[in-house]
Amino acid sequence: MEGSVEQPVLIYDRIDKNRRNTILLFLAFAIVIAVLFGAVGAIFGLYGGLEAKQLGPLVGSVAAIGLVTALAFSWVSYYASSSVVLGISEAHEVTKEQEPVLWGVVENLCIGAGLPMPKVYVIEDSAPNAFATGRDPQHAAVCATRGLLDKLERRELEGVIAHELSHIGNYDTRVMTVMVMLAGLAALVSDVMLRFTWYGSGSRSNNRDKGGGAAGAIILILAIVVIVLTPIAAALLKMAVSRQREYLADASGALLCRNPDALADALQKISQDKEPLEVANKATEHLYITNPLQEHASALNNLFDTHPPIERRIELLRAM
Amino acid sequence: MALIIVIIVLVVLALLLLFFTIGIYNGLVRSRNRTREAWSAIDVQLRRRASLVPNLVETVKGYAGHEREVFENVTRARSQLEQAGGAQQAAQANNMLTQALRSLFAVAEAYPQLRASENFMALQRDLTDIEEKIAFSRDFYNRNVLDYNTRLQTFPSVVIARNFGFQPREFFEAEEEARQEVRVDFSTGS
């Protein structure tokens, strides 16, 4: 009972922090997009030969459009992102009758955590993994792969689900799920822009007689977009997956299922399984309990890893 | 002029104190409500457990009618559980019921036909599940009671709690914990 004195306090602090972070994330996203739109407007304006006093309103209105668009996208992603995540992960909802064991584990642990019963999803993939999503505990979902259900014992499954329910209880899922949409969009835009830049530079060398100036400006714009968006997308992803978040969910999950060793055993089993999860991608990998992509080998990759080293997590759980 | 400044300072201080008090008071109420909510989660499971008992007794009686003492124990524990007021009494009654059910299931071991009966197996499964749920809801409840009672004992919330008559709540002690020394002064839950 010693640790539980701190636990409620800790949880409510985490909730506040995650709520704040979600709003900050939306604001940062909106500002970046507005600046980006403004910059594009300025370059177009300059290229079109506008005077300084015409340029101001143009940049302002384009930036405002960017701001509104970004906020609208944020608003949509707040409500829709968990459906999107479940959709792209090819998860299907299951009932108590279809998956009595998984359902029972989720139901009982929810009682222990004081959470309402989330929706339960399964991904038909033999790689063992799990994630949770949803903007708050009332709209949450827990998702496990078929491999997880087949390969883990019940107590290990309890450990994993307890970890996921901790993410739901302290609103980690709100930040993490919204991040999928924002980071996904940023990555998509920068990817598209990058392709355009290559295409643009290729065509410029072919007709340098007249269109060279216009193409040069467009390339410049695209380059700026790429330069600005790529590191932001990366930074957003990194922020979403702060390692501390995983350690905390491990600790409170272990407390919830009252069996740190069960979660440690589960992590060990999951990490020894080298099969990659096909439905996971760069935008969603940070949601999972362990990294589903399994392509990290070098020390450099470890630096950009979305999950803390699994050996360290197991070590900490064993010491509990 | 100086008087006005003094008055303003005093008013501001009084307002700050008021807001501070309101904040702590609301925190106490929230914490108390959380313990009540957590209690109702336990209560639901205890009721479910008690409601299964008559059915179980009837089922076992059909095969082992002469084991009267075991049935009486179970039935007595059940009615105590239903009449229990407060977490401590409920916990005691629940532990009694656990003991009684344990001996009932021990008796059932001697009757292979009973153990094989579908009804009995379903009841056993349900009871195991409910016991697990009771254990989890007990954890959650005790965690909330600990938080609430700690507020009642620590400064500055202790001052406000005293003035507004907040009462500490009882823990729901599990079997093995029941024998340990009592941690707080149990008075009737508010």
Side-chain angles (χ1 to χ4, degrees):
Chain A
M1 291 292 271
E2 285 302 315
S4 30
V5 184
E6 304 295 333
Q7 219 238 347
V9 182
L10 193 84
I11 284 247
Y12 296 122
D13 284 351
R14 296 289 305 170
I15 292 174
D16 287 343
K17 199 175 166 201
N18 280 322
R19 285 185 169 147
R20 222 168 33 239
N21 277 348
T22 312
I23 294 168
L24 286 177
L25 186 66
F26 283 152
L27 289 179
F29 179 73
I31 288 168
V32 167
I33 296 293
V35 167
L36 203 67
F37 271 53
V40 171
I43 291 168
F44 266 114
L46 280 174
Y47 179 73
L50 288 183
E51 286 172 33
K53 78 180 161 200
Q54 292 167 302
L55 202 58
L58 175 72
V59 171
S61 49
V62 173
I65 291 170
L67 193 72
V68 171
T69 312
L71 288 177
F73 187 80
S74 297
W75 186 74
V76 170
S77 69
Y78 179 75
Y79 290 101
S81 52
S82 65
S83 322
V84 171
V85 166
L86 290 164
I88 57 177
S89 307
E90 293 170 25
H92 64 94
E93 195 175 351
V94 294
T95 62
K96 188 174 189 172
E97 286 69 35
Q98 287 166 335
E99 296 293 338
V101 175
L102 175 62
W103 189 281
V105 166
V106 174
E107 194 176 34
N108 288 0
L109 286 168
C110 276
I111 289 173
L115 291 171
M117 181 73 189
K119 289 180 176 170
V120 182
Y121 284 79
V122 168
I123 298 174
E124 298 299 338
D125 191 307
S126 52
N129 224 318
F131 71 85
T133 181
R135 63 181 182 273
D136 54 35
Q138 283 72 36
H139 301 89
V142 173
C143 182
T145 62
R146 178 65 56 198
L148 191 84
L149 301 178
D150 289 344
K151 288 168 188 168
L152 296 193
E153 292 168 30
R154 187 189 160 102
R155 61 181 194 95
E156 293 165 338
L157 185 64
E158 270 183 4
V160 170
I161 299 297
H163 170 105
E164 297 307 335
L165 290 179
S166 306
H167 277 318
I168 293 177
N170 59 26
Y171 284 67
D172 282 345
T173 48
R174 176 181 287 188
V175 188
M176 290 163 82
T177 310
V178 157
M179 190 77 59
V180 173
M181 293 282 273
L182 302 192
L185 182 78
L188 183 76
V189 171
S190 87
D191 200 42
V192 167
M193 293 295 176
L194 195 65
R195 276 159 214 273
F196 268 120
T197 314
W198 282 336
Y199 176 75
S201 60
S203 67
R204 187 175 63 156
S205 56
N206 289 339
N207 51 355
R208 59 181 63 180
D209 45 272
K210 199 179 170 218
I218 290 167
I219 289 162
L220 188 65
I221 295 164
L222 297 178
I224 289 169
V225 170
V226 173
I227 290 161
V228 172
L229 274 184
T230 315
I232 288 168
L236 284 176
L237 275 175
K238 267 200 82 73
M239 207 179 100
V241 295
S242 83
R243 297 173 171 205
Q244 200 197 6
R245 206 192 288 284
E246 291 304 317
Y247 286 135
L248 271 172
D250 279 348
S252 47
L255 208 65
L256 176 58
C257 72
R258 295 174 298 178
N259 195 347
D261 283 323
L263 180 53
D265 290 345
L267 288 178
Q268 207 144 29
K269 250 187 205 174
I270 294 172
S271 67
Q272 276 159 6
D273 196 292
K274 287 294 171 210
E275 199 180 330
L277 183 58
E278 275 86 17
V279 291
N281 60 37
K282 275 284 173 200
T284 59
E285 63 169 328
H286 67 269
L287 290 176
Y288 290 87
I289 186 165
T290 67
N291 193 331
L293 298 178
Q294 308 280 359
E295 57 187 27
H296 305 259
S298 71
L300 187 68
N301 262 332
N302 191 35
L303 200 66
F304 295 100
D305 219 335
T306 54
H307 289 73
I310 204 126
E311 298 78 22
R312 181 76 188 126
R313 289 169 70 185
I314 293 171
E315 200 179 303
L316 286 172
L317 284 167
R318 296 276 186 225
M320 269 180 89
Chain B
M1 195 59 200
L3 186 68
I4 293 172
I5 292 173
V6 169
I7 289 171
I8 290 173
V9 167
L10 285 179
V11 167
V12 168
L13 281 179
L15 279 178
L16 279 179
L17 190 69
L18 182 70
F19 287 137
F20 190 62
T21 311
I22 291 173
I24 291 177
Y25 178 84
N26 287 348
L28 281 168
V29 171
R30 254 198 304 279
S31 179
R32 188 175 62 191
N33 286 346
R34 276 202 289 267
T35 63
R36 285 181 180 161
E37 205 187 317
W39 172 254
S40 63
I42 297 185
D43 203 40
V44 167
Q45 301 305 333
L46 291 180
R47 275 171 212 287
R48 280 183 64 201
R49 192 181 195 199
S51 71
L52 283 183
V53 166
N55 200 344
L56 181 72
V57 167
E58 284 311 307
T59 308
V60 179
K61 255 185 193 167
Y63 295 85
H66 55 280
E67 311 266 6
R68 192 157 299 147
E69 200 193 338
V70 177
F71 300 134
E72 276 168 9
N73 280 340
V74 172
T75 312
R76 200 180 319 124
R78 175 186 178 248
S79 66
Q80 280 201 11
L81 181 59
E82 289 191 320
Q83 286 156 16
Q88 205 188 2
Q89 272 187 38
Q92 272 170 6
N94 186 52
N95 292 338
M96 261 183 68
L97 184 58
T98 305
Q99 299 280 353
L101 284 176
R102 207 170 283 164
S103 45
L104 183 78
F105 282 117
V107 164
E109 281 297 304
Y111 301 87
Q113 275 178 311
L114 169 62
R115 274 186 296 147
S117 96
E118 204 143 293
N119 197 8
F120 181 73
M121 285 198 296
L123 282 166
Q124 204 168 14
R125 207 167 39 236
D126 284 354
L127 279 170
T128 312
D129 183 54
I130 291 173
E131 265 162 44
E132 208 174 290
K133 287 190 164 68
I134 291 174
F136 278 116
S137 53
R138 186 190 67 219
D139 269 13
F140 182 62
Y141 171 77
N142 283 344
R143 227 160 36 224
N144 279 299
V145 170
L146 191 63
D147 174 63
Y148 173 65
N149 286 355
T150 307
R151 281 170 201 247
L152 295 195
Q153 291 160 355
T154 50
F155 189 79
S157 45
V158 61
V159 182
I160 289 144
R162 287 244 176 89
N163 281 309
F164 288 97
F166 283 87
Q167 299 292 327
R169 286 196 69 115
E170 299 170 353
F171 285 98
F172 188 89
E173 305 277 1
E175 235 179 319
E176 60 275 11
E177 290 169 48
R179 277 181 233 106
Q180 289 171 6
E181 58 165 326
V182 180
R183 260 169 292 210
V184 288
D185 177 25
F186 290 120
S187 41
T188 325
S190 56

